């Protein structure tokens, strides 16, 4: 009788693939709408007279607000459930795009497209990833990676649509259509997002006794969270500079602009494959082992850009680099689920994502400063390798978990 009762929740936890599909769709649309700003940059500047730097700063504001808001959204998801959070985020996502299309000043656009849209986008990552991780035991890494893959394909979906729209309408009408379209696509998907059964999500597979419940304060002060958050920060700081500046570096090596841009596309495509490959490997070998290996590959691949100056060489490095940085990103959620359980996962993942957003914001700024100071990107790539190797060393200190996801005994950081 007891064996049957314990087996049933485990089966249920590995059968909700509809939430994976809905989560992938949501992250794809949310991040795709945000990144479509690159398509609007030139027509907006020409039509309004606003500076490109001013328009682009909306993206910086979006990243910062997305990181901060993600922590709050994650906490709300733990308290009230993920559905109400993604519903609010969906409403805000469409509303911010519609309001941005009506902005009459640059400041209004920065507030609507930057701050408000960043807040909206933050509602999808931590709550949806945390909910997905709570629904799966045996195939958890793969499920989380598939949801995360939505972000990987985002630039290849909404941006082409935006490019087509601006060739037929002005930028304001194009953004208005995208905002309304986001509501049409995402609102039905909201109803597929639901919390995992409490009894099932609290117990490891196999019917073992659940680990003692942790409070948020205990979790955020624990050594495990510090290791998770600092590794996530260093990982993103290591790859954000090369992601942002490699196109400029390739142009400086003599490549035509269009060819240089395809390097970025190659990274994105490889990142999508990396999420799926690393997800399958993590389910078989353990998330920590695969994360450490991926971080090591990422570190050396970043510095390898200094060894190439032809398009074929750039493509080869881009494939390895994209495979690594795309593959490791979903694994932080898997490790967080193993360490902290499902009950406070949204809050923990939101806090870790806030640190990762700071890392993403740091790389481009430091890369630009190093280039302005030394006239070369060499120190940026070397620095990225050094920070990446630091992330490897930090990741090695993760406490061990078993394959059933049983939580270790966590100690306060102090």
């Amino acid at each position: 009788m007891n064996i049957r009762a314990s087996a049933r929740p485990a089966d249920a936890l590995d059968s909700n693939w509809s939430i994976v599909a809905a989560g992938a769709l949501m992250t794809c649309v949310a991040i795709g709408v945000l990144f479509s700003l690159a398509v609007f940059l030139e027509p907006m500047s020409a039509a309004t007279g606003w500076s490109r730097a001013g328009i682009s700063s909306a993206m910086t504001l979006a990243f910062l607000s997305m990181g901060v808001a993600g922590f709050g959204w994650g906490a709300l998801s733990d308290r009230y459930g993920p559905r109400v959070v993604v519903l609010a985020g969906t409403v805000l996502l469409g509303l911010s795009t519609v309001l941005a299309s009506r902005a009459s000043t640059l400041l209004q656009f920065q507030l609507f497209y930057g701050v408000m849209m960043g807040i909206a986008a933050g509602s999808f990552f931590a709550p949806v990833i945390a909910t997905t991780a709570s629904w799966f035991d045996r195939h958890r890494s793969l499920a989380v990676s598939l949801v995360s893959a939505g972000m990987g394909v985002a630039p290849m979906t909404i941006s082409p649509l935006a490019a087509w729209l601006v060739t037929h309408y002005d930028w304001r009408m194009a953004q208005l259509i995208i905002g309304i379209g986001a509501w049409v696509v995402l609102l039905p998907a909201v109803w597929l997002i639901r919390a995992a059964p409490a009894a099932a999500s609290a117990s490891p597979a196999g019917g073992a006794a659940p680990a003692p419940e942790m409070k948020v304060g205990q979790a955020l002060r624990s050594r495990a969270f510090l290791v998770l958050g600092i590794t996530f920060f260093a990982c993103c700081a290591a790859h954000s500079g090369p992601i942002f500046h490699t196109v400029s570096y390739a142009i400086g090596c003599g490549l035509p602009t269009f060819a240089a841009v395809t390097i970025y596309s190659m990274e994105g495509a490889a990142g999508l494959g990396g999420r799926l490959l690393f997800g399958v490997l993590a389910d078989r070998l353990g998330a920590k082992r695969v994360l450490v290996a991926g971080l090591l590959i990422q570190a050396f691949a970043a510095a390898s850009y200094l060894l190439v100056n032809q398009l074929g060489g750039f493509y080869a490095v881009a494939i390895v680099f994209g495979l690594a940085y795309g593959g490791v990103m979903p694994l932080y959620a898997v490790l967080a689920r193993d360490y902290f359980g499902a009950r406070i996962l949204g809050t923990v993942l939101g806090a870790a994502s806030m640190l990762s957003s700071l890392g993403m914001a740091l790389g481009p700024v430091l890369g630009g400063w190093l280039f302005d100071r030394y006239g070369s990107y060499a120190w940026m790539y070397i620095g990225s390798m050094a920070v990446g190797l630091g992330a490897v060393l930090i990741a090695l200190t993760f406490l061990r978990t078993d394959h059933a996801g049983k939580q270790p005994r966590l100690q306060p950081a102090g």
Side-chain angles (χ1 to χ4, degrees), residues 213-225:
E213 292 283 359
M214 293 187 69
K215 295 182 179 180
V216 170
Q218 291 176 305
L220 298 185
R221 291 193 304 269
S222 68
R223 174 191 167 191
F225 176 76

Side-chain angles (χ1 to χ4, degrees), residues 29 53 80 124 162 167 258 386-387 401:
V29 173
Y80 299 108
F124 295 98
T167 62
F258 179 79
V387 174
T401 58

Side-chain angles (χ1 to χ4, degrees), residues 382-401:
I382 293 172
S384 293
M385 180 180 70
V387 174
L389 291 175
V392 173
L393 294 176
I394 299 167
L396 286 171
T397 67
F398 273 117
L399 300 173
R400 183 171 301 203
T401 58

Side-chain angles (χ1 to χ4, degrees), residues 50 52 74 91 107 129 141 179 194 238 268 339 358 377 382 392 399-400:
W50 300 338
R52 296 194 179 198
V91 172
L107 178 59
I129 293 289
S141 298
R194 64 186 188 277
Y339 285 112
L358 294 177
Y377 281 116
I382 293 172
V392 173
L399 300 173
R400 183 171 301 203

